[in-house]
């Protein structure tokens, strides 16, 4: 399996995030990808390739132009205002009900209008890393379009929480959505399977009223888990997208027997949709030892996960998302890929 990777992600290196009113050490850090890269090289499951550079057009097929312009200029504007502070840009106020949403002018207004949490800072290298992550996802999609059975986009920052004009959840540009749209534009019928612990609210929002990209997500019930406001079982799509969206919210301490049942149902839904290519938002924060999540999936279970996805028999694009247990992240990620290849 070809893996696409670029060291540009190292430029995005948050030192802290803000959760529950206090600063905590960042968990979405460069070492996540570097650990997976080392394990890929050890296991020798395929070549590690540099991504091709794509134009902005595939991004603008998914994301609002003003939003993209904001992301490119947010950090310079932040530094212009706070020239004596080297902290990353983080919003501190939001246009909640009764306040006017204003997406131009002062950087503080823009941050609050475009971001939905305090855990997703914008630093000096954030845009370059996010932009290269898109190149990585598109390169993997192009490889599969060209005839590869599967490809792995080892990209960060992740993307599945970013919608067309909102970022958050460590995500800035929605890598998997951009890749799915690109494959659609090449004549494919794509489906997205999100196996991250957290619901892919951004991906759902992008395709929720569309019938041309199917979305299935298996995740922790948002009644207790981030992102809290989307990911419930009654969200099935609207308008043209009705019945093209399916969610499987699961309880705390979910282990493989319950998880595999949801996975089988999600893959059946993908098959019933008639997809000819599958994109997997590969989050590994379902692991029993993940520091911020509450499932009980084991290292061995990830082999089974990969096998189940492989048995679906679809050309597949794996796009890296969450997973924060640095010690086990590499082996868990590669287990999915090896399980897929062995199916």
């Amino acid at each position: 399996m070809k893996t696409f990777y670029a060291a540009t992600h190292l430029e995005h290196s948050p030192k802290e995030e803000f959760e529950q009113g206090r600063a905590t050490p960042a968990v979405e850090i460069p070492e996540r990808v570097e650990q997976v890269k080392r394990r890929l090289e050890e296991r020798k499951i395929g070549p590690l390739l540099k991504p091709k550079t794509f134009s902005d057009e595939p991004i603008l097929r998914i994301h609002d132009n003003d939003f993209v312009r904001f992301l490119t200029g947010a950090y310079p504007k932040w530094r212009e205002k706070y020239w004596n502070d080297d902290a990353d840009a983080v919003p501190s106020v939001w246009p909640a009900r009764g306040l006017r949403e204003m997406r131009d002018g002062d950087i503080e207004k823009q941050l609050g209008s475009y971001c939905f949490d305090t855990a997703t800072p914008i630093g000096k290298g954030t845009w370059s890393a996010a932009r290269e992550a898109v190149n990585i996802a598109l390169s993997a999609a192009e490889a599969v379009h060209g005839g590869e059975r599967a490809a792995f986009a080892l990209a960060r920052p992740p993307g599945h929480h970013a919608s067309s004009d909102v970022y958050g959840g460590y995500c800035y540009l929605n890598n998997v959505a951009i890749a799915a749209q690109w494959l659609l534009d090449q004549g494919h019928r794509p489906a997205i399977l999100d196996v991250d612990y957290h619901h892919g609210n951004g991906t759902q929002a992008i395709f929720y009223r569309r019938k041309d990209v199917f979305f299935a997500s298996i995740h922790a019930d948002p009644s207790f888990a981030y992102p809290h406001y989307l990911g419930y079982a009654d969200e099935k799509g609207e308008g043209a997208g009705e019945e093209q969206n399916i969610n499987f919210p699961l309880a705390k301490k979910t282990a493989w027997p319950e998880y595999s049942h949801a996975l089988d149902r999600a893959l059946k839904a993908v098959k019933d949709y008639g997809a000819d290519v599958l994109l997997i938002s590969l989050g590994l924060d379902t692991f029993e030892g993940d520091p911020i999540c509450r499932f009980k999936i084991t290292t061995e279970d990830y082999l089974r996960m990969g096998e189940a996805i492989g048995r679906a028999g679809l050309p597949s694009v794996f796009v890296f998302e969450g997973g924060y247990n640095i010690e086990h992240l590499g082996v868990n990620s590669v287990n999915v890929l090896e399980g897929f290849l062995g199916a």
Side-chain angles (χ1 to χ4, degrees):
M1 184 186 299
K2 291 180 178 177
T3 294
F4 293 88
Y5 161 88
T8 313
H9 82 92
L10 297 167
E11 298 175 17
H12 174 62
S13 185
K15 299 298 186 293
E16 61 184 14
E17 59 189 60
F18 297 87
E19 297 276 9
Q20 300 174 351
R22 65 182 187 275
T24 59
V27 297
E28 204 297 285
I29 56 177
E31 187 59 18
R32 298 176 60 245
V33 159
E34 295 304 296
Q35 281 283 4
V36 178
K37 175 176 175 282
R38 282 192 283 273
R39 185 67 178 183
L40 286 166
E41 291 168 335
E42 290 172 5
R43 298 298 298 172
K44 297 181 172 59
I45 70 167
L48 200 68
L49 305 172
K50 292 182 179 180
K52 172 182 171 181
T53 299
F54 289 77
S55 72
D56 288 343
E57 182 179 357
I59 297 175
L60 297 175
R61 294 281 285 138
I62 289 295
H63 289 288
D64 176 76
N65 185 66
D66 288 341
F67 172 67
V68 174
R69 187 180 301 113
F70 157 75
L71 287 177
T72 63
Y75 187 71
K77 287 184 177 180
W78 177 264
R79 295 294 293 124
E80 181 180 350
K81 183 170 184 177
Y82 300 107
W83 58 270
N84 62 341
D85 187 347
D86 62 358
D88 293 341
V90 177
S92 58
V93 63
W94 289 264
R97 288 182 299 276
L99 299 177
R100 293 174 59 191
E101 183 174 294
M102 306 177 74
R103 296 190 168 190
D104 56 7
D106 187 84
I107 185 61
E108 297 279 4
K109 289 193 298 183
Q110 290 184 309
L111 288 166
S113 293
Y114 282 118
C115 186
F116 67 87
D117 68 14
T118 56
T120 313
I122 295 178
K124 182 178 181 181
T126 298
W127 170 251
S128 58
R131 184 62 182 81
E132 190 74 324
V134 169
N135 286 332
I136 291 169
L138 288 171
S139 294
E142 186 178 62
V144 169
H145 172 64
E148 295 288 336
R149 179 188 173 202
F152 180 32
L154 182 52
R156 70 169 286 276
H160 72 148
H161 291 305
S163 63
S164 62
D165 60 354
V166 177
Y167 74 100
Y170 313 143
C171 304
Y172 305 88
L173 297 172
N174 195 313
N175 307 315
V176 75
I178 293 167
Q181 180 67 55
W182 186 89
L183 285 164
L184 179 69
D185 292 341
Q186 311 312 307
H188 290 281
R189 185 173 172 81
I192 299 171
L193 171 65
D194 193 320
V195 297
D196 194 279
Y197 177 86
H198 304 99
H199 178 248
N201 60 288
T203 310
Q204 173 174 298
I206 287 166
F207 297 114
Y208 201 63
R209 295 171 180 83
R210 293 173 51 174
K211 65 179 181 180
D212 49 7
V213 177
F214 185 82
F215 179 65
S217 181
I218 309 167
H219 53 270
D221 194 319
S223 65
F224 65 84
Y226 186 97
H228 302 294
Y229 302 106
L230 281 180
Y232 295 90
D234 63 349
E235 297 162 12
K236 300 180 179 180
E238 292 179 355
E242 189 172 354
E243 302 300 328
Q244 308 307 311
N245 190 95
I246 186 167
N247 288 317
F248 298 93
L250 302 177
K252 295 177 183 178
K253 300 183 180 180
T254 289
W256 181 248
E258 299 83 11
Y259 192 96
S260 63
H261 178 63
L263 179 60
D264 289 343
R265 292 174 63 198
L267 290 169
K268 182 181 184 302
V270 167
K271 181 179 180 180
D272 291 345
Y273 174 73
D276 64 7
V277 62
L278 179 62
L279 299 98
I280 300 94
S281 272
L282 185 60
L284 290 307
D285 39 6
T286 51
F287 179 56
E288 61 182 350
D290 195 276
I292 65 172
C293 304
R294 299 294 178 267
F295 278 3
K296 297 295 182 181
I297 307 303
T298 69
T299 292
E300 292 73 23
D301 292 334
Y302 289 110
L303 284 167
R304 302 174 196 174
M305 180 186 291
E307 290 167 358
I309 296 170
R311 287 194 298 270
L314 292 172
S316 298
V317 181
F318 291 87
V319 181
F320 192 58
E321 300 281 6
Y324 308 101
N325 184 306
I326 301 299
E327 181 182 357
H328 293 89
L329 185 57
V331 64
N332 291 343
S333 301
V334 175
N335 274 8
V336 176
L337 306 181
E338 290 187 326
F340 176 92
L341 292 173

